Amino acid sequence: MVKLHIKRGDESQFLYETTCSIEINELIPELVRIYNGRLKIERLNYEIEELAKHGISLPPNMQGLTEEQISDLRLRDDWEDKCSPSGGYVETKDPLTKRNGRAPNEKMSEVLNRTRQESMAIVSKDNVKADVCLTMDKVQAAIDQMRGAVMIVYPMGLPPHDPIRLEFDLQEDLSGTQASLQVLEEDTAQLWWAGKEMQRGKKLQDFIGKNEKTKLIAKLQKKGQGAPSREQAFNEDQKKQMMAHAYRKQEELKKLESSEDDHYLNSSWADPNSLKRQFQGVRDIKWRP
């Protein structure tokens, strides 16, 4: 199997296994789905953490308002009672005033936090160093795991405006946010390797050959961004090792230049007649008085 080390810019994302015969038209959309799936899990991780701290999200027209303003404008509805966490709630006011301040109890909060951490571990970038490949099935399993935890804590479901529910229902609106700049489009994304774009309509083997044991670094890029920066010949650790080796060698040369010690002349290997005496059988003869 060909192993692809997928990067976005200079940052590692995940490892992916495929074959030389795969069509680039099939490869790029699959890589983009995994990449976007990782972004979704990261967004869900943040929102579920906030859910465990401060409860469900307020409607957009209530966010940023005080309790007095909400009461005066009669914006309060019965959706909070319908969407209460199982086991009751704990009052924890949200300093950002985006959530209702009714957090799940300690046991239910632990369920949410443990699950989101497990899901993040499935798609962690550390898996690149551990040589663990990522698939869309693993990404979907991580999302389903999060969905299950939220259903346990909120059996009646989340309100339709909650960002977590919108993410699960594939209705999230990222327009105008920083997250929208990270998302890639399946139809227009580009894949680059060795400074060359892997063009759609061709096969992977057209670029890398037919060796199924190949491992290469490929970069995902938005259309129109041009070629990504090339990989450095040496990573930071290798550079440090080379500099340390050069420094040690330089210090050794300095010592040799400054040293006037000729005690090595007393060594057997420095004696020009050592081989002659060895053949004559008079080597290592000791005289005693």
Side-chain angles (χ1 to χ4, degrees), residues 35 70 110:
Y35 171 79
I70 292 174
E110 183 182 351

Side-chain angles (χ1 to χ4, degrees), residues 5 7 9-11 194-195 217-219 228-234:
H5 178 177
K7 286 189 171 185
D10 293 326
E11 190 174 1
I217 296 176
K219 296 188 176 183
S229 59
R230 284 184 175 246
E231 287 294 301
Q232 296 181 357
F234 304 100

